[in-house]
């Protein structure tokens, strides 16, 4: 993932792909990684195209990184529209096509990574900032606003299996109100914290069963009501998706065996 943290000529930008999201129903709670720390071994403030002498602002913890820049150059720094090709250990790596200002990504652009992940959207002061789309090698994609390189605001994540989340992101994570639409027709509408269903929400399953109440760690936890597919209604306190009231019992999204009911 392009992870950029640049505010001055002494800062730098780093063109590294984001880790692939998981293939399960929920993505990992850490969306992109944090940018490298300035001053790490092998880091430098600028890196020059050896042919033209034009430089871009750079930060990487790896040695043996080089660039070629095809575009404008002012005061020794990449400027305007162009193509920036990164190489690592002499092999082609990330490729950026778009706008630069004073050696930093600025405006609109597109990056294709060595693993075929790609980002297309807006940049500001060397970081993803504004609207953009990040597509992962496995086919998952995030569409929405970025701030300081991270998803922030009302966005959408689509999994390769067809599941879709539409809602709030805060500092890389699904936190706030949102809707998770499952490929089988089920859905959850409610609160998320750090990528998990947590707080108040309603889950509807593809068989018509529904639970409306409190959630924690992706399962029913707390007070809530389930209307089962066969018409039975269970209201009370749920623990890890399990409910029991004397001889009556029910589960919400977990197996009867995991609750000790069978």
């Amino acid at each position: 993932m392009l992870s950029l943290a640049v505010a001055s000529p002494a800062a730098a930008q780093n063109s590294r792909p984001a880790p692939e999201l998981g293939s399960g129903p929920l993505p990992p709670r850490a969306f992109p990684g944090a940018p490298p720390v300035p001053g790490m071994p092998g880091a430098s403030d600028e890196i020059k195209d050896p042919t033209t002498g034009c430089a871009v602002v750079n930060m990487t913890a790896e040695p043996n990184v080089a660039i070629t820049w095809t575009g404008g150059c002012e005061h020794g720094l990449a400027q305007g529209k162009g193509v920036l090709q990164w190489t690592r250990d002499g092999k082609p790596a990330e490729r950026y096509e778009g706008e630069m200002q004073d050696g930093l990504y600025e405006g609109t652009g597109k990056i294709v990574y060595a693993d075929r992940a790609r980002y297309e959207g807006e940049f500001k002061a060397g970081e993803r900032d504004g609207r953009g789309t990040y597509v992962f090698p496995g086919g998952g994609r995030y569409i929405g606003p970025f701030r300081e390189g991270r998803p922030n605001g009302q966005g959408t994540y689509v999994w390769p299996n067809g599941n879709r989340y539409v809602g709030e992101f805060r500092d890389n994570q699904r936190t706030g109100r949102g809707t998770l639409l499952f490929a089988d027709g089920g859905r959850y509408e409610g609160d998320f914290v750090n990528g998990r269903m947590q707080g108040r929400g309603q889950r509807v399953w593809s068989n018509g069963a529904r639970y409306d109440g409190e959630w924690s760690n992706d399962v029913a936890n707390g007070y809530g009501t389930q209307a089962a597919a066969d018409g039975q209604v269970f209201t009370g306190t749920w623990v890890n998706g399990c409910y029991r009231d004397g001889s009556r019992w029910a589960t919400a999204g977990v197996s009867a065996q995991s609750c000790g009911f069978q």
Side-chain angles (χ1 to χ4, degrees):
M1 178 193 68
L2 178 65
S3 190
L4 307 172
V6 183
S8 70
Q13 59 193 352
N14 173 38
S15 57
R16 300 303 305 278
E20 175 65 89
L21 293 185
S23 58
L26 298 174
R29 285 171 293 288
F31 189 89
V37 177
M40 293 182 68
S44 63
D45 291 337
E46 293 181 359
I47 184 168
K48 293 183 179 181
D49 181 321
T51 301
T52 65
C54 197
V56 299
V57 182
N58 173 68
M59 179 170 63
T60 176
E62 295 178 291
N64 303 322
V65 176
I67 65 157
T68 59
W69 165 249
T70 304
C73 192
E74 294 183 11
H75 308 294
L77 294 171
Q79 194 83 11
K81 291 184 178 180
V83 177
L84 177 62
Q85 177 67 58
W86 296 81
T87 61
R88 189 171 292 110
D89 295 320
K91 299 178 181 179
E94 293 76 38
R95 178 184 174 90
Y96 172 80
E97 299 180 35
E99 299 172 297
M100 303 282 286
Q101 182 174 316
D102 298 329
L104 299 171
Y105 304 142
E106 181 80 26
T108 58
K110 175 175 68 175
I111 291 183
V112 179
Y113 300 97
D115 65 358
R116 309 313 298 170
R118 62 187 186 273
Y119 169 81
E120 184 169 1
E122 297 177 286
F123 295 85
K124 183 183 294 184
E127 294 187 346
R128 291 186 308 267
D129 204 300
R131 296 287 301 180
T133 298
Y134 193 100
V135 180
F136 292 84
R141 66 186 184 275
Y142 167 82
I143 307 103
F146 288 78
R147 187 172 68 245
E148 297 181 352
R150 300 170 181 268
N152 272 284
Q154 192 77 13
T156 299
Y157 182 80
V158 182
W159 284 263
N161 66 2
N163 291 349
R164 176 186 298 261
Y165 169 82
V166 181
E168 294 181 77
F169 288 80
R170 296 180 190 172
D171 196 25
N172 294 349
Q173 310 207 24
R174 287 174 293 117
T175 295
R177 296 288 295 181
T179 299
L180 184 58
L181 303 169
F182 294 90
D184 65 2
R187 70 181 186 275
Y188 169 85
E189 299 180 42
D191 298 325
F192 289 81
V193 176
N194 294 335
R196 296 186 179 274
M197 294 179 280
Q198 187 152 323
R200 183 82 186 184
Q202 182 184 81
R203 173 76 159 94
V204 179
W205 284 267
S206 58
N207 65 359
R210 67 180 59 222
Y211 169 84
D212 190 346
E214 296 176 298
W215 291 77
S216 178
N217 201 33
D218 283 341
V219 294
N221 267 301
Y223 192 82
T225 297
Q226 183 194 72
D230 62 5
Q232 295 188 76
V233 176
F234 304 89
T235 299
T237 300
W238 296 71
V239 178
N240 295 329
C242 310
Y243 169 88
R244 187 155 207 160
D245 182 11
S247 61
R248 299 182 76 234
W249 59 267
T251 64
V254 299
S255 68
Q257 289 85 353
S258 68
C259 293
F261 297 155
Q262 290 183 353

